[in-house]
Amino acid sequence: MSLNARQSTESRQSEIIATVVALAAERNPAEVTTTDIAKAMSVTQGALFRHFPTKEAIRLAVIEWVETQLMANLADAQASAPDVLSGLEAMFLAHVKFIRQFPGVPRLVFAELQQPDSSPLRQRVQQIMQRYRQMLAEALGKAKAAHLIRDDVDVQAAAVLFLGAIQGLVMQSMLGGVSPDAEEPVLGVLRLYLASLGGKS
């Protein structure tokens, strides 16, 4: 494959992924068909399958895109903070910002987690969640070592609670209980989380 052809394929794959993410913000991702994707892009289904062999391959590419984008945002937030506790705060806000930018993402993740245990896509999402929890646990361990949080904090449980707090905000937003753009609920939850660790916002 020539360089131009490869770039064209990568560009079209990126467009397909972006289309799926956008459609997921509007409807149940499980109900999005390749016909829907092709229609939104004004191309044929055959054009889609020239770039991805199956619908599952499209869904897997979307999940891998989510991982790449989210983890890069989290790493940048962490790296720009003056200390590890501020880094955790920045990661929390970066995750919320990412969801606001791409509201279809949590819907896609939840949809894949509802698949059977044997589903490669569900397993991939679980691997990403495990990687995220490990990143958080390591950051929390550093915060504990630096005496920025209480010495008795269970870093694994605190990592789970970090993700649970964000997921709770997402669910409240999806149910209409919290405006997706409201700052105060996000900051309030973040302050409560930091207080539970013995840290200060």
Side-chain angles (χ1 to χ4, degrees):
M1 181 184 295
S2 69
L3 179 60
N4 286 342
R6 184 163 60 249
Q7 289 174 336
S8 177
T9 293
E10 290 174 356
S11 175
R12 183 60 83 177
Q13 287 176 337
S14 295
E15 187 180 352
I16 292 168
I17 289 167
T19 300
V20 174
V21 173
L23 288 171
E26 301 170 357
R27 68 187 83 169
N28 181 351
E31 296 174 358
V32 174
T33 65
T34 52
T35 301
D36 295 328
I37 300 167
K39 184 177 179 181
M41 294 177 63
S42 299
V43 299
T44 65
Q45 286 191 69
L48 293 184
F49 293 124
R50 280 199 292 274
H51 300 288
F52 288 106
T54 63
K55 182 182 177 182
E56 185 173 81
I58 295 174
R59 289 162 57 198
L60 181 58
V62 170
I63 293 301
E64 289 178 345
W65 175 87
V66 170
E67 177 182 23
T68 299
Q69 297 297 316
L70 177 59
M71 290 301 176
N73 287 0
L74 295 174
D76 287 346
Q78 195 175 33
S80 64
D83 59 62
V84 68
L85 189 59
S86 298
L88 281 166
E89 183 175 350
M91 288 168 68
F92 190 100
L93 296 174
H95 192 155
V96 171
K97 181 179 178 181
F98 181 77
I99 291 168
R100 285 175 173 165
Q101 186 177 2
F102 302 107
V105 164
R107 293 172 177 269
L108 285 160
V109 171
F110 291 148
E112 298 305 350
L113 287 173
Q114 293 176 46
Q115 300 300 314
D117 289 343
S118 59
S119 163
L121 282 156
R122 178 187 171 114
Q123 292 173 6
R124 189 74 186 91
V125 171
Q126 289 174 325
Q127 288 169 2
I128 295 168
M129 301 281 284
Q130 183 177 3
R131 178 185 170 192
Y132 194 163
R133 285 194 299 270
Q134 185 58 36
M135 177 193 293
L136 290 169
E138 289 174 3
L140 286 157
K142 291 176 182 176
K144 184 191 286 191
H147 304 292
L148 295 172
I149 61 176
R150 296 197 324 269
D151 290 340
D152 63 345
V153 169
D154 180 332
V155 297
Q156 295 294 337
V160 171
L161 183 58
F162 182 103
L163 286 171
I166 293 173
Q167 290 163 350
L169 285 167
V170 169
M171 290 302 297
Q172 288 292 318
S173 176
M174 290 170 67
L175 293 170
V178 173
S179 168
D181 297 319
E183 292 293 341
E184 191 51 41
V186 173
L187 296 175
V189 169
L190 178 57
R191 284 193 290 266
L192 278 172
Y193 176 75
L194 293 173
S196 75
L197 302 177
K200 296 178 180 179
S201 58

